[in-house]
Amino acid sequence: QAQLQESGGDLVQPGGSLKLSCVASGYPFDSYDVTWYRQTPRKRREWVATITRADLTNYADPVRGRFAVSRDNTKNTAYLQMNTLNSDDTGVYYCHVPARGLWGQGTQVTVSS
């Protein structure tokens, strides 16, 4: 059974950093793009970043220059490095594989002093 499992969410102070992980299983991880979304208190679920199977990356404007998405196909894992966090980054972060319709359960990121 194909599934995704996120981890790494935490409470962090403004200006801090976190690294989220998304571990995939049950399908050929290296053959599919991976996206990150977040559900913030004030907005619908919004797209954050994408990494393609060819390691091409793209970012939403609010996070470009602060976040970095990567993947390690040997570990079936995608990562989201988040730097210079602010309160607007608070939310539940999900990884998603669009071509397979897969979503993880989400991991909570809270940015607060």
Side-chain angles (χ1 to χ4, degrees):
Q1 180 180 357
Q3 58 183 354
L4 302 171
Q5 178 73 51
E6 303 95 336
S7 63
D10 205 345
L11 171 64
V12 62
Q13 291 188 343
S17 298
L18 279 177
K19 187 174 185 177
L20 307 183
S21 299
C22 170
V23 179
S25 60
Y27 74 97
F29 177 75
D30 58 358
S31 297
Y32 293 89
D33 301 351
V34 178
T35 63
W36 286 91
Y37 280 78
R38 64 187 181 187
Q39 179 77 53
T40 63
R42 288 176 289 180
K43 296 182 180 179
R44 298 176 299 174
R45 190 172 294 188
E46 61 179 2
W47 170 71
V48 174
T50 296
I51 183 164
T52 71
R53 58 183 179 176
D55 273 346
L56 299 175
T57 59
N58 197 15
Y59 300 92
D61 286 343
V63 308
R64 186 174 290 112
R66 300 188 297 122
F67 290 14
V69 60
S70 60
R71 66 192 298 161
D72 184 343
N73 291 335
T74 68
K75 297 181 179 180
N76 287 351
T77 302
Y79 302 98
L80 185 67
Q81 176 68 47
M82 306 186 295
N83 301 321
T84 320
L85 287 161
N86 59 63
S87 59
D88 289 341
D89 297 316
T90 293
V92 180
Y93 284 71
Y94 300 88
C95 59
H96 173 48
V97 178
R100 296 193 68 98
L102 289 174
W103 289 90
Q105 86 293 343
T107 186
Q108 176 71 46
V109 172
T110 302
V111 184
S112 176
S113 56

